[in-house]
Amino acid sequence: MVRPAAPMDATEEHVTDTMAWDTYARRKPGGRREKNAKGETTWFNWTQYPDHGPGVEVLGDRAAACVLELGCGTGGNLAHVATLGHRAVGVDVSPVQLNAARERWGDLPGLELHQRGALDFMSETAERFDAVYSVFGAIWFTDPGQMLPAIRRVMKPGGVLAFSQRPPVEGCYGCQASYINQADDPNPLVVKRWDYTPDMWTALLKEHGFRHPLVREMAPAEGWKTGTLLARALASGG
Ligand SMILES: C[S@@+](CC[C@H](N)C(=O)[O-])C[C@H]1O[C@@H](n2cnc3c(N)ncnc32)[C@H](O)[C@@H]1O
């Protein structure tokens, strides 16, 4: 059973999230395969299924762009962005995830990793990005009322925002609880996530100054039931 959440201050919430995501990382070690089905050593995957769905082209075709990933985890997608010659900046709240990312990809030119909460990082950076993305990452786990304005502020006009997450359960919209099981404790850790339909995401993106939003639910890999919600929009201006 999950105990009702007592009110927390921002720092306390931050520490709880870091603990929860470190626990997730320890319970899901391994990271990405050495090669994908095409024999490539780096690749981009927006979905929860291997060798499935669109690739890095969703982020547009600007050469030598500055790209930011929010909640980069063990860094497989970010590594691919770096190998294409872009500046690839990854932010993740979990030191365990980032240690794994550094160990595997730390030597790649152009790749930079920061152990920070996404909102904290974006409030501190002076850099402006051509593309910002998140794959089942920080955008899913942060209130879009805070996240979307923060992203808009760090994007160059005309830049691409894209993110993927699980589609909502019908009728369960807005803030939901995600449970992360702990090895020696029957009480799971709880993190918040924000679930919306494609139409709801479209309205939120427009409300926060993003143009041409395209939000859709992609079909799952063969034999699976749950698809993937993929959103793409442009930052206004440019
Ligand atoms: C489900 S994992 C996905 C990781 C990675 N994007 C992937 O596709 O494998 C979610 C990741 O987002 C990170 N995360 C969650 N909330 C975050 C936040 N507010 N700021 C930064 N990272 C966050 C977690 O630490 C975790 O690594």
PDB file of all heavy atoms in Angstrom, residues 14 17 21-22 24 28 32 45 69-75 77 91-94 97 116-119 134-142 147, ligand 1:
ATOM      1  N   HIS A  14      13.115  16.756  -4.163  1.00  0.00           N
ATOM      2  CA  HIS A  14      14.249  16.513  -5.042  1.00  0.00           C
ATOM      3  C   HIS A  14      15.051  15.297  -4.572  1.00  0.00           C
ATOM      4  O   HIS A  14      15.407  14.424  -5.349  1.00  0.00           O
ATOM      5  CB  HIS A  14      15.111  17.763  -5.028  1.00  0.00           C
ATOM      6  CG  HIS A  14      16.026  17.851  -6.182  1.00  0.00           C
ATOM      7  ND1 HIS A  14      15.584  18.131  -7.444  1.00  0.00           N
ATOM      8  CD2 HIS A  14      17.361  17.664  -6.268  1.00  0.00           C
ATOM      9  CE1 HIS A  14      16.610  18.116  -8.265  1.00  0.00           C
ATOM     10  NE2 HIS A  14      17.697  17.841  -7.584  1.00  0.00           N
ATOM     11  N   ASP A  17      13.124  12.101  -5.207  1.00  0.00           N
ATOM     12  CA  ASP A  17      13.184  11.717  -6.625  1.00  0.00           C
ATOM     13  C   ASP A  17      14.539  11.099  -6.964  1.00  0.00           C
ATOM     14  O   ASP A  17      14.605  10.089  -7.660  1.00  0.00           O
ATOM     15  CB  ASP A  17      12.961  12.944  -7.519  1.00  0.00           C
ATOM     16  CG  ASP A  17      11.479  13.194  -7.749  1.00  0.00           C
ATOM     17  OD1 ASP A  17      10.664  12.415  -7.236  1.00  0.00           O
ATOM     18  OD2 ASP A  17      11.154  14.167  -8.434  1.00  0.00           O
ATOM     19  N   TRP A  21      14.992   7.343  -8.410  1.00  0.00           N
ATOM     20  CA  TRP A  21      15.576   7.046  -9.723  1.00  0.00           C
ATOM     21  C   TRP A  21      16.879   6.263  -9.597  1.00  0.00           C
ATOM     22  O   TRP A  21      17.206   5.452 -10.472  1.00  0.00           O
ATOM     23  CB  TRP A  21      15.738   8.329 -10.542  1.00  0.00           C
ATOM     24  CG  TRP A  21      14.403   8.807 -11.025  1.00  0.00           C
ATOM     25  CD1 TRP A  21      13.752   9.953 -10.662  1.00  0.00           C
ATOM     26  CD2 TRP A  21      13.520   8.118 -11.934  1.00  0.00           C
ATOM     27  NE1 TRP A  21      12.521  10.020 -11.276  1.00  0.00           N
ATOM     28  CE2 TRP A  21      12.362   8.902 -12.067  1.00  0.00           C
ATOM     29  CE3 TRP A  21      13.596   6.916 -12.624  1.00  0.00           C
ATOM     30  CZ2 TRP A  21      11.288   8.520 -12.879  1.00  0.00           C
ATOM     31  CZ3 TRP A  21      12.528   6.536 -13.444  1.00  0.00           C
ATOM     32  CH2 TRP A  21      11.401   7.350 -13.552  1.00  0.00           C
ATOM     33  N   ASP A  22      17.622   6.484  -8.513  1.00  0.00           N
ATOM     34  CA  ASP A  22      18.798   5.635  -8.273  1.00  0.00           C
ATOM     35  C   ASP A  22      18.351   4.188  -8.046  1.00  0.00           C
ATOM     36  O   ASP A  22      18.990   3.243  -8.525  1.00  0.00           O
ATOM     37  CB  ASP A  22      19.587   6.139  -7.059  1.00  0.00           C
ATOM     38  CG  ASP A  22      20.582   7.232  -7.427  1.00  0.00           C
ATOM     39  OD1 ASP A  22      20.775   7.489  -8.644  1.00  0.00           O
ATOM     40  OD2 ASP A  22      21.178   7.825  -6.511  1.00  0.00           O
ATOM     41  N   TYR A  24      15.616   2.795  -9.197  1.00  0.00           N
ATOM     42  CA  TYR A  24      15.211   2.299 -10.533  1.00  0.00           C
ATOM     43  C   TYR A  24      16.441   1.840 -11.313  1.00  0.00           C
ATOM     44  O   TYR A  24      16.449   0.756 -11.915  1.00  0.00           O
ATOM     45  CB  TYR A  24      14.482   3.437 -11.251  1.00  0.00           C
ATOM     46  CG  TYR A  24      14.245   3.226 -12.723  1.00  0.00           C
ATOM     47  CD1 TYR A  24      13.089   2.576 -13.179  1.00  0.00           C
ATOM     48  CD2 TYR A  24      15.151   3.699 -13.673  1.00  0.00           C
ATOM     49  CE1 TYR A  24      12.863   2.395 -14.538  1.00  0.00           C
ATOM     50  CE2 TYR A  24      14.931   3.516 -15.029  1.00  0.00           C
ATOM     51  CZ  TYR A  24      13.777   2.866 -15.451  1.00  0.00           C
ATOM     52  OH  TYR A  24      13.573   2.694 -16.794  1.00  0.00           O
ATOM     53  N   LYS A  28      17.522  -1.963 -12.679  1.00  0.00           N
ATOM     54  CA  LYS A  28      17.416  -2.165 -14.127  1.00  0.00           C
ATOM     55  C   LYS A  28      18.791  -1.938 -14.753  1.00  0.00           C
ATOM     56  O   LYS A  28      18.951  -1.069 -15.613  1.00  0.00           O
ATOM     57  CB  LYS A  28      16.414  -1.135 -14.677  1.00  0.00           C
ATOM     58  CG  LYS A  28      15.859  -1.455 -16.038  1.00  0.00           C
ATOM     59  CD  LYS A  28      14.765  -0.446 -16.388  1.00  0.00           C
ATOM     60  CE  LYS A  28      14.238  -0.635 -17.781  1.00  0.00           C
ATOM     61  NZ  LYS A  28      15.008  -0.025 -18.835  1.00  0.00           N
ATOM     62  N   ARG A  32      22.168  -0.471 -22.844  1.00  0.00           N
ATOM     63  CA  ARG A  32      21.868  -0.790 -24.242  1.00  0.00           C
ATOM     64  C   ARG A  32      22.735  -1.923 -24.783  1.00  0.00           C
ATOM     65  O   ARG A  32      23.880  -2.074 -24.368  1.00  0.00           O
ATOM     66  CB  ARG A  32      22.118   0.503 -25.019  1.00  0.00           C
ATOM     67  CG  ARG A  32      21.617   0.498 -26.382  1.00  0.00           C
ATOM     68  CD  ARG A  32      21.564   1.912 -26.913  1.00  0.00           C
ATOM     69  NE  ARG A  32      20.247   2.495 -26.679  1.00  0.00           N
ATOM     70  CZ  ARG A  32      19.757   3.504 -27.394  1.00  0.00           C
ATOM     71  NH1 ARG A  32      20.486   4.060 -28.334  1.00  0.00           N
ATOM     72  NH2 ARG A  32      18.560   3.977 -27.144  1.00  0.00           N
ATOM     73  N   ASN A  45      16.268   5.543 -30.210  1.00  0.00           N
ATOM     74  CA  ASN A  45      15.014   4.796 -30.055  1.00  0.00           C
ATOM     75  C   ASN A  45      14.051   5.587 -29.176  1.00  0.00           C
ATOM     76  O   ASN A  45      14.341   5.843 -28.008  1.00  0.00           O
ATOM     77  CB  ASN A  45      15.314   3.425 -29.429  1.00  0.00           C
ATOM     78  CG  ASN A  45      14.078   2.541 -29.392  1.00  0.00           C
ATOM     79  OD1 ASN A  45      12.994   2.958 -29.809  1.00  0.00           O
ATOM     80  ND2 ASN A  45      14.226   1.332 -28.904  1.00  0.00           N
ATOM     81  N   GLU A  69      19.161  16.699 -23.848  1.00  0.00           N
ATOM     82  CA  GLU A  69      18.254  15.615 -23.437  1.00  0.00           C
ATOM     83  C   GLU A  69      17.917  15.753 -21.958  1.00  0.00           C
ATOM     84  O   GLU A  69      18.817  15.846 -21.103  1.00  0.00           O
ATOM     85  CB  GLU A  69      18.866  14.228 -23.694  1.00  0.00           C
ATOM     86  CG  GLU A  69      17.912  13.133 -23.197  1.00  0.00           C
ATOM     87  CD  GLU A  69      18.240  11.717 -23.640  1.00  0.00           C
ATOM     88  OE1 GLU A  69      19.247  11.521 -24.340  1.00  0.00           O
ATOM     89  OE2 GLU A  69      17.461  10.811 -23.267  1.00  0.00           O
ATOM     90  N   LEU A  70      16.622  15.703 -21.632  1.00  0.00           N
ATOM     91  CA  LEU A  70      16.163  15.847 -20.247  1.00  0.00           C
ATOM     92  C   LEU A  70      15.803  14.463 -19.694  1.00  0.00           C
ATOM     93  O   LEU A  70      14.834  13.846 -20.143  1.00  0.00           O
ATOM     94  CB  LEU A  70      14.949  16.780 -20.212  1.00  0.00           C
ATOM     95  CG  LEU A  70      15.222  18.193 -20.757  1.00  0.00           C
ATOM     96  CD1 LEU A  70      13.929  19.000 -20.851  1.00  0.00           C
ATOM     97  CD2 LEU A  70      16.254  18.919 -19.899  1.00  0.00           C
ATOM     98  N   GLY A  71      16.614  13.989 -18.764  1.00  0.00           N
ATOM     99  CA  GLY A  71      16.418  12.632 -18.223  1.00  0.00           C
ATOM    100  C   GLY A  71      17.068  11.624 -19.147  1.00  0.00           C
ATOM    101  O   GLY A  71      16.423  10.695 -19.644  1.00  0.00           O
ATOM    102  N   CYS A  72      18.385  11.771 -19.346  1.00  0.00           N
ATOM    103  CA  CYS A  72      19.092  10.981 -20.381  1.00  0.00           C
ATOM    104  C   CYS A  72      19.384   9.554 -19.931  1.00  0.00           C
ATOM    105  O   CYS A  72      19.770   8.719 -20.755  1.00  0.00           O
ATOM    106  CB  CYS A  72      20.383  11.672 -20.786  1.00  0.00           C
ATOM    107  SG  CYS A  72      21.547  11.863 -19.422  1.00  0.00           S
ATOM    108  N   GLY A  73      19.209   9.253 -18.643  1.00  0.00           N
ATOM    109  CA  GLY A  73      19.464   7.892 -18.174  1.00  0.00           C
ATOM    110  C   GLY A  73      20.885   7.455 -18.489  1.00  0.00           C
ATOM    111  O   GLY A  73      21.849   8.206 -18.288  1.00  0.00           O
ATOM    112  N   THR A  74      21.032   6.249 -19.031  1.00  0.00           N
ATOM    113  CA  THR A  74      22.364   5.702 -19.292  1.00  0.00           C
ATOM    114  C   THR A  74      22.954   6.193 -20.625  1.00  0.00           C
ATOM    115  O   THR A  74      24.017   5.720 -21.040  1.00  0.00           O
ATOM    116  CB  THR A  74      22.339   4.166 -19.261  1.00  0.00           C
ATOM    117  OG1 THR A  74      21.318   3.719 -20.165  1.00  0.00           O
ATOM    118  CG2 THR A  74      22.017   3.638 -17.875  1.00  0.00           C
ATOM    119  N   GLY A  75      22.261   7.096 -21.306  1.00  0.00           N
ATOM    120  CA  GLY A  75      22.889   7.884 -22.364  1.00  0.00           C
ATOM    121  C   GLY A  75      22.934   7.290 -23.761  1.00  0.00           C
ATOM    122  O   GLY A  75      23.596   7.852 -24.637  1.00  0.00           O
ATOM    123  N   ASN A  77      20.743   7.173 -26.309  1.00  0.00           N
ATOM    124  CA  ASN A  77      20.277   8.074 -27.377  1.00  0.00           C
ATOM    125  C   ASN A  77      21.210   9.272 -27.532  1.00  0.00           C
ATOM    126  O   ASN A  77      21.525   9.702 -28.648  1.00  0.00           O
ATOM    127  CB  ASN A  77      18.855   8.555 -27.079  1.00  0.00           C
ATOM    128  CG  ASN A  77      17.824   7.466 -27.325  1.00  0.00           C
ATOM    129  OD1 ASN A  77      17.966   6.678 -28.259  1.00  0.00           O
ATOM    130  ND2 ASN A  77      16.816   7.402 -26.480  1.00  0.00           N
ATOM    131  N   VAL A  91      21.093  15.691 -19.182  1.00  0.00           N
ATOM    132  CA  VAL A  91      20.849  16.034 -17.781  1.00  0.00           C
ATOM    133  C   VAL A  91      20.065  14.896 -17.157  1.00  0.00           C
ATOM    134  O   VAL A  91      19.098  14.408 -17.760  1.00  0.00           O
ATOM    135  CB  VAL A  91      20.002  17.331 -17.698  1.00  0.00           C
ATOM    136  CG1 VAL A  91      19.690  17.679 -16.250  1.00  0.00           C
ATOM    137  CG2 VAL A  91      20.701  18.479 -18.390  1.00  0.00           C
ATOM    138  N   ASP A  92      20.487  14.468 -15.976  1.00  0.00           N
ATOM    139  CA  ASP A  92      19.712  13.440 -15.268  1.00  0.00           C
ATOM    140  C   ASP A  92      19.896  13.643 -13.776  1.00  0.00           C
ATOM    141  O   ASP A  92      20.981  13.994 -13.304  1.00  0.00           O
ATOM    142  CB  ASP A  92      20.144  12.028 -15.669  1.00  0.00           C
ATOM    143  CG  ASP A  92      19.052  11.008 -15.362  1.00  0.00           C
ATOM    144  OD1 ASP A  92      18.834  10.713 -14.168  1.00  0.00           O
ATOM    145  OD2 ASP A  92      18.384  10.540 -16.309  1.00  0.00           O
ATOM    146  N   VAL A  93      18.828  13.378 -13.039  1.00  0.00           N
ATOM    147  CA  VAL A  93      18.856  13.596 -11.595  1.00  0.00           C
ATOM    148  C   VAL A  93      19.580  12.451 -10.875  1.00  0.00           C
ATOM    149  O   VAL A  93      20.011  12.612  -9.726  1.00  0.00           O
ATOM    150  CB  VAL A  93      17.396  13.784 -11.095  1.00  0.00           C
ATOM    151  CG1 VAL A  93      16.670  12.456 -11.011  1.00  0.00           C
ATOM    152  CG2 VAL A  93      17.321  14.552  -9.809  1.00  0.00           C
ATOM    153  N   SER A  94      19.748  11.313 -11.549  1.00  0.00           N
ATOM    154  CA  SER A  94      20.269  10.115 -10.871  1.00  0.00           C
ATOM    155  C   SER A  94      21.773   9.923 -11.077  1.00  0.00           C
ATOM    156  O   SER A  94      22.223   9.659 -12.200  1.00  0.00           O
ATOM    157  CB  SER A  94      19.523   8.875 -11.384  1.00  0.00           C
ATOM    158  OG  SER A  94      20.275   7.709 -11.134  1.00  0.00           O
ATOM    159  N   GLN A  97      22.479   6.471 -12.763  1.00  0.00           N
ATOM    160  CA  GLN A  97      22.290   6.477 -14.225  1.00  0.00           C
ATOM    161  C   GLN A  97      23.481   7.158 -14.912  1.00  0.00           C
ATOM    162  O   GLN A  97      24.016   6.669 -15.904  1.00  0.00           O
ATOM    163  CB  GLN A  97      21.009   7.251 -14.598  1.00  0.00           C
ATOM    164  CG  GLN A  97      19.720   6.586 -14.166  1.00  0.00           C
ATOM    165  CD  GLN A  97      19.283   5.476 -15.108  1.00  0.00           C
ATOM    166  OE1 GLN A  97      19.968   4.464 -15.218  1.00  0.00           O
ATOM    167  NE2 GLN A  97      18.151   5.637 -15.759  1.00  0.00           N
ATOM    168  N   ARG A 116      21.748  16.864 -12.521  1.00  0.00           N
ATOM    169  CA  ARG A 116      20.880  17.954 -12.055  1.00  0.00           C
ATOM    170  C   ARG A 116      19.434  17.562 -12.308  1.00  0.00           C
ATOM    171  O   ARG A 116      19.140  16.761 -13.213  1.00  0.00           O
ATOM    172  CB  ARG A 116      21.104  19.256 -12.853  1.00  0.00           C
ATOM    173  CG  ARG A 116      22.418  19.894 -12.772  1.00  0.00           C
ATOM    174  CD  ARG A 116      22.792  20.406 -11.414  1.00  0.00           C
ATOM    175  NE  ARG A 116      22.254  21.703 -11.065  1.00  0.00           N
ATOM    176  CZ  ARG A 116      21.853  22.041  -9.840  1.00  0.00           C
ATOM    177  NH1 ARG A 116      21.846  21.152  -8.872  1.00  0.00           N
ATOM    178  NH2 ARG A 116      21.440  23.263  -9.571  1.00  0.00           N
ATOM    179  N   GLY A 117      18.527  18.180 -11.587  1.00  0.00           N
ATOM    180  CA  GLY A 117      17.127  18.127 -11.981  1.00  0.00           C
ATOM    181  C   GLY A 117      16.979  18.966 -13.250  1.00  0.00           C
ATOM    182  O   GLY A 117      17.686  19.966 -13.423  1.00  0.00           O
ATOM    183  N   ALA A 118      16.074  18.557 -14.131  1.00  0.00           N
ATOM    184  CA  ALA A 118      15.932  19.252 -15.420  1.00  0.00           C
ATOM    185  C   ALA A 118      15.582  20.730 -15.220  1.00  0.00           C
ATOM    186  O   ALA A 118      16.149  21.603 -15.890  1.00  0.00           O
ATOM    187  CB  ALA A 118      14.858  18.561 -16.249  1.00  0.00           C
ATOM    188  N   LEU A 119      14.647  21.031 -14.310  1.00  0.00           N
ATOM    189  CA  LEU A 119      14.243  22.424 -14.116  1.00  0.00           C
ATOM    190  C   LEU A 119      15.406  23.245 -13.566  1.00  0.00           C
ATOM    191  O   LEU A 119      15.638  24.385 -13.991  1.00  0.00           O
ATOM    192  CB  LEU A 119      13.047  22.520 -13.164  1.00  0.00           C
ATOM    193  CG  LEU A 119      11.717  21.976 -13.693  1.00  0.00           C
ATOM    194  CD1 LEU A 119      10.646  22.045 -12.608  1.00  0.00           C
ATOM    195  CD2 LEU A 119      11.244  22.731 -14.934  1.00  0.00           C
ATOM    196  N   SER A 134      13.257  14.263 -24.853  1.00  0.00           N
ATOM    197  CA  SER A 134      13.151  13.454 -23.635  1.00  0.00           C
ATOM    198  C   SER A 134      12.458  12.147 -24.017  1.00  0.00           C
ATOM    199  O   SER A 134      11.395  12.168 -24.640  1.00  0.00           O
ATOM    200  CB  SER A 134      12.319  14.242 -22.616  1.00  0.00           C
ATOM    201  OG  SER A 134      12.335  13.645 -21.356  1.00  0.00           O
ATOM    202  N   VAL A 135      13.089  11.031 -23.682  1.00  0.00           N
ATOM    203  CA  VAL A 135      12.540   9.714 -24.036  1.00  0.00           C
ATOM    204  C   VAL A 135      12.137   9.011 -22.741  1.00  0.00           C
ATOM    205  O   VAL A 135      13.007   8.585 -21.967  1.00  0.00           O
ATOM    206  CB  VAL A 135      13.582   8.882 -24.816  1.00  0.00           C
ATOM    207  CG1 VAL A 135      13.038   7.494 -25.143  1.00  0.00           C
ATOM    208  CG2 VAL A 135      13.982   9.611 -26.102  1.00  0.00           C
ATOM    209  N   PHE A 136      10.845   8.978 -22.461  1.00  0.00           N
ATOM    210  CA  PHE A 136      10.355   8.425 -21.190  1.00  0.00           C
ATOM    211  C   PHE A 136      11.142   9.083 -20.042  1.00  0.00           C
ATOM    212  O   PHE A 136      11.474   8.439 -19.052  1.00  0.00           O
ATOM    213  CB  PHE A 136      10.515   6.898 -21.146  1.00  0.00           C
ATOM    214  CG  PHE A 136       9.545   6.172 -22.049  1.00  0.00           C
ATOM    215  CD1 PHE A 136       9.641   6.272 -23.432  1.00  0.00           C
ATOM    216  CD2 PHE A 136       8.541   5.392 -21.525  1.00  0.00           C
ATOM    217  CE1 PHE A 136       8.734   5.615 -24.276  1.00  0.00           C
ATOM    218  CE2 PHE A 136       7.636   4.718 -22.360  1.00  0.00           C
ATOM    219  CZ  PHE A 136       7.737   4.834 -23.730  1.00  0.00           C
ATOM    220  N   GLY A 137      11.467  10.357 -20.196  1.00  0.00           N
ATOM    221  CA  GLY A 137      12.391  11.038 -19.293  1.00  0.00           C
ATOM    222  C   GLY A 137      11.742  12.154 -18.497  1.00  0.00           C
ATOM    223  O   GLY A 137      10.542  12.098 -18.175  1.00  0.00           O
ATOM    224  N   ALA A 138      12.527  13.186 -18.184  1.00  0.00           N
ATOM    225  CA  ALA A 138      12.098  14.216 -17.230  1.00  0.00           C
ATOM    226  C   ALA A 138      10.812  14.923 -17.651  1.00  0.00           C
ATOM    227  O   ALA A 138      10.049  15.380 -16.792  1.00  0.00           O
ATOM    228  CB  ALA A 138      13.215  15.230 -17.040  1.00  0.00           C
ATOM    229  N   ILE A 139      10.537  15.019 -18.952  1.00  0.00           N
ATOM    230  CA  ILE A 139       9.300  15.707 -19.366  1.00  0.00           C
ATOM    231  C   ILE A 139       8.077  14.936 -18.876  1.00  0.00           C
ATOM    232  O   ILE A 139       7.078  15.526 -18.473  1.00  0.00           O
ATOM    233  CB  ILE A 139       9.260  15.911 -20.900  1.00  0.00           C
ATOM    234  CG1 ILE A 139      10.378  16.872 -21.310  1.00  0.00           C
ATOM    235  CG2 ILE A 139       7.887  16.418 -21.359  1.00  0.00           C
ATOM    236  CD1 ILE A 139      10.401  17.249 -22.777  1.00  0.00           C
ATOM    237  N   TRP A 140       8.182  13.626 -18.876  1.00  0.00           N
ATOM    238  CA  TRP A 140       7.059  12.803 -18.389  1.00  0.00           C
ATOM    239  C   TRP A 140       6.870  12.971 -16.881  1.00  0.00           C
ATOM    240  O   TRP A 140       5.762  12.848 -16.357  1.00  0.00           O
ATOM    241  CB  TRP A 140       7.332  11.336 -18.743  1.00  0.00           C
ATOM    242  CG  TRP A 140       6.153  10.419 -18.646  1.00  0.00           C
ATOM    243  CD1 TRP A 140       4.828  10.770 -18.598  1.00  0.00           C
ATOM    244  CD2 TRP A 140       6.194   8.990 -18.598  1.00  0.00           C
ATOM    245  NE1 TRP A 140       4.035   9.651 -18.536  1.00  0.00           N
ATOM    246  CE2 TRP A 140       4.854   8.536 -18.537  1.00  0.00           C
ATOM    247  CE3 TRP A 140       7.218   8.049 -18.625  1.00  0.00           C
ATOM    248  CZ2 TRP A 140       4.524   7.191 -18.479  1.00  0.00           C
ATOM    249  CZ3 TRP A 140       6.888   6.709 -18.569  1.00  0.00           C
ATOM    250  CH2 TRP A 140       5.560   6.281 -18.496  1.00  0.00           C
ATOM    251  N   PHE A 141       7.978  13.243 -16.172  1.00  0.00           N
ATOM    252  CA  PHE A 141       7.949  13.224 -14.703  1.00  0.00           C
ATOM    253  C   PHE A 141       7.954  14.617 -14.074  1.00  0.00           C
ATOM    254  O   PHE A 141       8.334  14.760 -12.912  1.00  0.00           O
ATOM    255  CB  PHE A 141       9.126  12.375 -14.194  1.00  0.00           C
ATOM    256  CG  PHE A 141       9.053  10.952 -14.681  1.00  0.00           C
ATOM    257  CD1 PHE A 141       9.874  10.493 -15.697  1.00  0.00           C
ATOM    258  CD2 PHE A 141       8.098  10.074 -14.164  1.00  0.00           C
ATOM    259  CE1 PHE A 141       9.783   9.191 -16.179  1.00  0.00           C
ATOM    260  CE2 PHE A 141       7.993   8.771 -14.641  1.00  0.00           C
ATOM    261  CZ  PHE A 141       8.832   8.331 -15.648  1.00  0.00           C
ATOM    262  N   THR A 142       7.579  15.625 -14.846  1.00  0.00           N
ATOM    263  CA  THR A 142       7.542  16.998 -14.321  1.00  0.00           C
ATOM    264  C   THR A 142       6.262  17.671 -14.793  1.00  0.00           C
ATOM    265  O   THR A 142       5.844  17.472 -15.944  1.00  0.00           O
ATOM    266  CB  THR A 142       8.765  17.800 -14.834  1.00  0.00           C
ATOM    267  OG1 THR A 142       9.950  17.047 -14.586  1.00  0.00           O
ATOM    268  CG2 THR A 142       8.882  19.139 -14.133  1.00  0.00           C
ATOM    269  N   MET A 147       7.484  22.712 -16.755  1.00  0.00           N
ATOM    270  CA  MET A 147       8.474  22.185 -17.699  1.00  0.00           C
ATOM    271  C   MET A 147       8.451  22.918 -19.045  1.00  0.00           C
ATOM    272  O   MET A 147       9.497  23.295 -19.579  1.00  0.00           O
ATOM    273  CB  MET A 147       8.198  20.694 -17.890  1.00  0.00           C
ATOM    274  CG  MET A 147       9.221  19.954 -18.690  1.00  0.00           C
ATOM    275  SD  MET A 147      10.869  20.209 -18.056  1.00  0.00           S
ATOM    276  CE  MET A 147      11.340  18.600 -17.521  1.00  0.00           C
TER     277      MET A 147
HETATM  278  C1  LIG B   1      12.389   5.829 -17.317  1.00  0.00           C
HETATM  279  S1  LIG B   1      14.004   6.498 -17.232  1.00  0.00           S
HETATM  280  C2  LIG B   1      14.375   6.795 -18.973  1.00  0.00           C
HETATM  281  C3  LIG B   1      15.840   7.020 -19.204  1.00  0.00           C
HETATM  282  C4  LIG B   1      16.256   7.238 -20.658  1.00  0.00           C
HETATM  283  N1  LIG B   1      15.681   8.424 -21.221  1.00  0.00           N
HETATM  284  C5  LIG B   1      15.941   6.020 -21.500  1.00  0.00           C
HETATM  285  O1  LIG B   1      15.181   6.136 -22.465  1.00  0.00           O
HETATM  286  O2  LIG B   1      16.473   4.940 -21.187  1.00  0.00           O
HETATM  287  C6  LIG B   1      13.678   8.158 -16.643  1.00  0.00           C
HETATM  288  C7  LIG B   1      14.927   8.955 -16.428  1.00  0.00           C
HETATM  289  O3  LIG B   1      14.579  10.310 -16.187  1.00  0.00           O
HETATM  290  C8  LIG B   1      15.342  10.790 -15.088  1.00  0.00           C
HETATM  291  N2  LIG B   1      14.566  11.879 -14.470  1.00  0.00           N
HETATM  292  C9  LIG B   1      13.324  11.802 -13.947  1.00  0.00           C
HETATM  293  N3  LIG B   1      12.917  13.006 -13.509  1.00  0.00           N
HETATM  294  C10 LIG B   1      13.936  13.868 -13.764  1.00  0.00           C
HETATM  295  C11 LIG B   1      14.111  15.257 -13.576  1.00  0.00           C
HETATM  296  N4  LIG B   1      13.161  16.024 -13.023  1.00  0.00           N
HETATM  297  N5  LIG B   1      15.268  15.813 -13.959  1.00  0.00           N
HETATM  298  C12 LIG B   1      16.257  15.066 -14.526  1.00  0.00           C
HETATM  299  N6  LIG B   1      16.136  13.742 -14.731  1.00  0.00           N
HETATM  300  C13 LIG B   1      15.001  13.154 -14.370  1.00  0.00           C
HETATM  301  C14 LIG B   1      15.542   9.585 -14.210  1.00  0.00           C
HETATM  302  O4  LIG B   1      16.641   9.695 -13.330  1.00  0.00           O
HETATM  303  C15 LIG B   1      15.733   8.484 -15.235  1.00  0.00           C
HETATM  304  O5  LIG B   1      17.090   8.328 -15.596  1.00  0.00           O
END
